[in-house]
Amino acid sequence: MTTSPSTEAPTAAAPALEVAGLTVTFPGTGRRAVGAVVALQEVDLEVAVGEFVAVVGPSGCGKSTLLRVLAGLTPPGATVTGRSTGTACGRSAAWMPQRDGLLPWRRALPNALVGARIAGMDRAVADARARALFDEFGLAGFERAWPHELSGGMRQRLALLRTCLPGRPILLLDEPFGALDAITRRRMNAWLAGLDLAGRGRAVVLVTHDVDEALLLADRVVVLSDRPGRVVLDLRVPRDGTAGARRALLEALDPAGEAR
Amino acid sequence: MLVRHRWRRVVAPAAAGLVLLVGWEVGVRLSDLPAFVLPPPSQVARTAVEVAPLLGTDVATTLTEAGLGLVVGAVVGLLLAVLIAAFPWVSDTLYPLVTLTQTVPTVVLAPLLILWAGFGLLPKIVLVALTAFFPVLVAAVTAMATVDAEHSEMVAGLGGTRRHQFWLVQLPASVPGALGGLRVAATYAIGAAVVAEYLAGQSGLGVFVQRSRKGYEVDQILVAVALVAVLTGLLFLLVDGLARLATPWQRPSLPSRPGRTPL
């Protein structure tokens, strides 16, 4: 799939990515498989082109594992069964780790170009696009900064820029602002919501444990249960007022109602 | 606090050195030791001034051998490390052998090298390179083997292949390690060159030492010893400075002060 983001209208029907019956098992150690863990069980997920889907769930429910499998990063030793299309066909997805993954020996601009280089983009094109995105991401003027000279919020934005730059049709974001303090995080989310990532003919999957973040950013929210992770709710976020959706999500996340 | 720190680091060792020198001077004068056994430091200093104009070529020779040997050793060490990191079979077959070669102290090989490579610069450069490549190799291999998973996963998650992993992550990650190894190697280089010169050669500090020994000119030997120490120190500082230049992303290893990171 070649993307020319300005002209190409998203083909509504075709899912950008689809997994069915995805089960991920960590076999445990020793002959008796001590500590064997089923991380994900029979997970179905379909994301359409132009759709922003958030996956929420309690800690350890396997949502990061789900994203890794989608990115083609099967965790070592894990057994993966099920059917997946979209991401599996090689290099259509770009994954952003929880920690920013910036290379300390590259300045900000070269760090942003890592994804483009892997995608085999033309240098001049990538460079021009990166400079434009530096503006858009509020990083203008920091092109020559070393990663350790940047604040946490800037590092995450740079990592996101690196992920967006190659123009891959699927973006996989693993708690992109999870490590930030609450205020910076809220600011980043507001900014991200205005960025309209999925509107550029792309599909976005965002993993988070924050219901409000999911509601703010996503068109659809998928709730995973406690381990083993199963899909317990798949909710389209209504355009007018999210109070009802919020209640439904919290209920799905905490069925026993202990937290309420 | 700071004053005390500086006092301990500079003044204290300097004072200890001075006491040692004075003790040596007084001891030699009181005990009537002959100068061909142990000359007093004052005489060593006088000799140093006397022979200084003659030592230029010797110093140049030794520095050339040490410098070229260090460069060759570093390049070979880094190349081997790259091969070991890139190809598991190279690692399996070569790494144990390379480690085994280090059970032979390299200076023991000096006579063989002179037999094979003659009396010129070459055997000395080879010997210095043999001494220098191992610390570089080990440090670089270790650095490449312990690459931060965060970085390699990032590259994989963007669709990177093994080739991308190597060029984008492994190779640059090995640089600080290799430079650390080079710092260690720099401290051996001059010594290795001098030992090689003991055995054969037309010029060099080692040749100067041998000539002085035959004439029982202990003061000259001591001048050479001091010179080796100074040159080794200078070479270390040079390599250290180059290493800093080559890794500008590395933060100075000061204890982190609060409020230094911008937010």
Side-chain angles (χ1 to χ4, degrees), chain A residues 68 95 99 101-102 104 149 168, chain B residues 150-151 153 157-159 172 249 262:
Chain A
R68 278 162 181 274
W95 172 78
R99 290 164 67 201
L102 295 175
E149 294 169 338
R168 297 264 160 88
Chain B
E150 181 189 346
H151 298 143
E153 283 196 326
L158 290 166
W249 66 85

Side-chain angles (χ1 to χ4, degrees), chain B residues 34-39 44 212-213 215-223:
Chain B
F36 62 83
V37 176
L38 186 66
V44 175
S212 307
R213 184 183 60 84
Y216 289 95
E217 283 155 314
V218 180
D219 47 354
Q220 287 191 23
I221 297 179
L222 287 169
V223 169

